[in-house]
Amino acid sequence: MDQRDYETALYPLLEVRSDTVRARLERFASAATSSAGDGAGGTASADAIVINVFVDQDGEGPFDVWARFEGRDGFALDRRFDDERQLFGVLWGELGWEPEVPGRPAGWSRDDLEDALVAAVATWLRPLLPAQDDGLIWRIESPDGAVVADNI
């Protein structure tokens, strides 16, 4: 299995969450740029919304996708949305991974899996981002903080 095959197998599992994630991303963007975004009547200031892709420690398949705010009010906005910032997650349940994502293909390193996951998440999220012209930057980062896609 190559990276493209892996992404193709994963995409339907991500797509199921698209409507929910699109609505969340729109709320995040609105809060990051609105005058009442910080909840205290002041001006919210977030320069960017960063999407982080975290691969499970074992690197076998499970992963999480979280959004976070960067900027003056980043911390307050992160707390405001708290668990809603999780856009996708894979948990270990009674019967295995939930949802049942493809495992790491034989011969792949943890880094190979991470690269495929980040690429798949970027492909999934690009069309879900709100169309805005307000200077807000959207960025995808790998777990080590490397920028994968800037101003997506």
Side-chain angles (χ1 to χ4, degrees):
M1 178 181 280
D2 67 8
Q3 183 170 332
R4 178 150 276 358
D5 292 336
Y6 184 86
E7 290 176 37
T8 300
L10 180 62
Y11 195 78
L13 299 171
L14 296 169
E15 185 63 28
V16 167
R17 304 254 322 136
S18 290
D19 290 341
T20 300
V21 168
R22 180 181 289 111
R24 285 183 185 181
L25 295 174
E26 288 172 1
R27 287 196 335 268
F28 297 165
S30 178
T33 59
S34 77
S35 60
D38 64 0
T43 300
S45 178
D47 304 321
I49 296 177
V50 178
I51 308 298
N52 291 112
V53 180
F54 298 100
V55 179
D56 182 81
Q57 278 184 303
D58 295 332
E60 294 299 324
F63 66 99
D64 291 296
V65 179
W66 285 81
R68 67 181 170 82
F69 296 87
E70 280 189 352
R72 187 185 74 216
D73 295 326
F75 181 80
L77 289 165
D78 282 350
R79 296 297 63 82
R80 175 179 167 190
F81 289 102
D82 204 24
D83 288 343
E84 286 182 78
R85 296 180 303 111
Q86 184 179 26
L87 304 178
F88 188 85
V90 180
L91 301 172
W92 181 256
E94 284 185 35
L95 303 175
W97 298 329
E98 296 174 8
E100 193 174 329
V101 296
R104 181 177 71 192
W108 278 25
S109 69
R110 186 177 186 284
D111 289 339
D112 293 334
L113 176 64
E114 181 180 295
D115 291 345
L117 289 171
V118 170
V121 167
T123 299
W124 170 54
L125 289 179
R126 277 187 185 101
L128 303 180
L129 296 176
Q132 294 181 294
D133 189 23
D134 52 20
L136 183 64
I137 295 171
W138 294 86
R139 187 168 63 239
I140 295 179
E141 290 183 356
S142 64
D144 63 2
V147 175
V148 176
D150 205 1
N151 218 6
I152 58 174

